[in-house]
Amino acid sequence: MHQDHPEIFPQRHTMSVPGGHRALRVGLGGPVGSGKTATVAALCRTLRDEVSIGVVTNDIYTREDADFLLRQAVLAPDRIVAVETGACPHTAIRDDISANLEAVEELEERVGPLDLVLLESGGDNLTATFSKGLVDVQMFVIDVAGGDDIPRKGGPGVTMSDLLVVNKVDLAVHVGADLDRMAADAAAQRGGLPTVFTSVARGQGVAPVADWIRERLAESTAGAA
Amino acid sequence: MSAALLLLTDGRFPAGGHAHSGGAEAAVAEGRITGAATLAEFCRGRLHTTGLVAAALAAAAAAGADLLALDDAADARTPSPALRTVSRRLGRQLLRAARAAWPAAVLDQLAADRPRGAHQPVVLGATARAAGLTPLDAARAAAYESAGSPATATVRLLGLDPFQAAAVLARLAPEVDAVADAATAAAHRARTEGTGALPAASAPLLDVSAERHAAWPTRLFTS
């Protein structure tokens, strides 16, 4: 059986991508409406001239998010694929990752070599996280309008994600969200893991997320060399 | 009964089945599944047609028959292009899980021979063999899956009472066993008579609905 990067990912079972080069796989999870798709679109616009990118969406209804990305024309259409999740988006990213692995590998075969694959989960609850067999690193996207107590509540997405993104900070004043409290709660829940505050749809704030991905890409390249 | 069979048929075994409804999503939309009674009839119909065929293919594969000949036989018994694609994709997903769970040269060879995926029942039978299971075990797994998949999906699609769905499958269990027995006998005949001895029962409405479903712009399940 071929297992890629055995020293780093002993549990990953990859069938079709031979050799050393494999794209960095970054998962984006989080509740419905927090701005995952907008973040993916902004990341594509920011990074597409630097690295070769593919996107896998896991939608509730097949192609909604993929179609949004296509309309925004953030990438060529053949770089965006949608995976159906049988009404269980968390299952497709955590318990049974086989369809997503198929999608990633087919994408790499078809339009590769790729440097970066962004996997967007369907909007789910605070317990939904990506399997380590599917992604290398993951971010969890929440927003201030969903309630400024989400970081305090914790849950695997908030506590375990490699990057916590708190989006829509421009709305904080309108919904009475206390950003300082959110930052303090996130720091308490996440140990040393980073948290960033963004307002992606307002065209600001995706820069720290893009920088974080650049750092992960650099680590990945150094690890593979 | 081996614990390996329980693992192989466990709905949590990561082989991709959770995203497929076995035709139930189309049947619900077209008004043919509306509750427990119509679900039972749908599952019964699927069990005795595509379920029987899948069970026989799986049993033959588990008995050590030529897997590529069985793969061709599966193609010939799957007239819907959409369902052929689905079966090969699910076969590839199952093979990934199988090679991790029960590493075996026969599974590596099948992956090399059919890089785009072999038909799911063929992979299921080969997996059963790698796991030390019998042809009858493989037939039971395939037959049960043919009814279990639409039942699970209908719980999500209609909000059907899950106890009712479990009762539907429990009432069907003797028929699942009978189909598995018949499929195993056919697989045994195929050892001397060739794959032509395998059943070729078809369900035209499932084929037609699968083609329509594949063209829907938005859906919850892949098939």
Side-chain angles (χ1 to χ4, degrees), chain A residues 32-212:
Chain A
V32 175
S34 63
K36 293 183 295 301
T37 310
T39 302
V40 169
L43 285 172
C44 288
R45 287 191 202 97
T46 306
L47 295 170
R48 65 190 172 194
D49 294 332
E50 302 168 34
V51 291
S52 179
I53 306 176
V55 173
V56 177
T57 65
N58 283 245
D59 217 336
I60 309 297
Y61 261 123
T62 318
R63 295 204 50 88
E64 287 273 329
D65 288 339
D67 287 345
F68 173 84
L69 295 171
L70 289 172
R71 280 197 304 277
Q72 299 282 306
V74 295
L75 290 177
D78 62 355
R79 288 173 175 264
I80 303 169
V81 296
V83 170
E84 289 107 339
T85 59
C88 282
H90 53 274
T91 303
I93 62 167
R94 185 184 61 204
D95 309 279
D96 183 351
I97 59 177
S98 57
N100 269 298
L101 284 174
E102 292 284 312
V104 172
E105 291 171 10
E106 284 177 16
L107 197 57
E108 293 202 75
E109 273 180 38
R110 200 175 68 238
V111 300
L114 298 174
D115 304 304
L116 173 67
V117 175
L118 302 173
L119 291 104
E120 181 190 346
S121 80
D124 208 312
N125 59 51
L126 297 176
T127 67
T129 49
F130 285 83
S131 165
K132 290 182 172 65
L134 178 61
V135 300
D136 301 316
V137 289
Q138 56 188 300
M139 65 183 81
F140 198 69
V141 183
I142 61 175
D143 70 284
V144 301
D148 63 3
D149 55 348
I150 289 180
R152 180 180 54 78
K153 286 179 180 172
V158 166
T159 59
M160 290 167 53
S161 58
D162 300 291
L163 179 69
L164 179 66
V165 179
V166 182
N167 191 27
K168 305 186 189 177
V169 290
D170 54 306
L171 297 183
V173 62
H174 303 295
V175 298
D178 182 341
L179 293 179
D180 291 336
R181 177 186 158 191
M182 292 183 87
D185 288 344
Q189 289 279 7
R190 291 172 53 72
L193 292 168
T195 300
V196 296
F197 290 80
T198 62
S199 180
V200 170
R202 291 282 169 273
Q204 57 185 3
V206 83
V209 183
D211 286 343
W212 181 81

Side-chain angles (χ1 to χ4, degrees), chain B:
Chain B
M1 175 68 75
S2 157
L5 179 59
L6 300 179
L7 173 58
L8 181 58
T9 55
D10 191 330
R12 291 164 292 191
F13 190 69
H18 73 94
H20 295 261
S21 76
E25 185 169 31
V28 165
E30 293 167 2
R32 287 180 281 112
I33 297 178
T34 55
T38 43
L39 171 65
E41 289 311 300
F42 182 90
C43 291
R44 177 172 286 114
R46 192 161 190 265
L47 169 66
H48 287 280
T49 53
T50 57
L52 172 66
V53 172
L57 289 164
D66 177 51
L67 297 178
L68 300 186
L70 290 174
D71 198 48
D72 291 342
D75 251 347
R77 287 159 176 76
T78 314
S80 155
L83 289 181
R84 282 188 187 187
T85 301
V86 162
S87 177
R88 289 195 180 279
R89 182 169 292 266
L90 280 174
R92 210 169 100 124
Q93 290 176 243
L94 173 57
L95 192 55
R96 184 195 299 272
R99 290 169 80 191
W102 297 286
V106 64
L107 299 179
D108 296 341
Q109 188 62 47
L110 184 57
D113 289 336
R114 289 284 183 273
R116 307 313 307 166
H119 279 284
Q120 195 268 358
V122 178
V123 179
L124 181 62
T127 300
R129 187 173 175 85
L133 299 171
T134 67
L136 180 58
D137 289 334
R140 282 185 178 141
Y144 175 70
E145 194 174 78
S146 74
S149 170
T152 306
T154 301
V155 169
R156 298 187 210 161
L157 288 163
L158 286 181
L160 181 71
D161 181 341
F163 299 117
Q164 287 190 321
V168 163
L169 293 176
R171 307 281 181 278
L172 269 179
E175 284 181 60
V176 172
D177 287 337
V179 164
D181 288 339
T184 306
H188 187 69
R189 285 196 302 280
R191 295 182 74 169
T192 51
E193 299 170 29
T195 56
L198 298 173
S202 75
L205 193 52
L206 281 180
D207 294 330
V208 171
S209 295
E211 289 297 315
R212 280 205 291 262
H213 181 265
W216 289 7
T218 59
R219 54 181 181 263
L220 288 172
F221 290 87
T222 309
S223 73

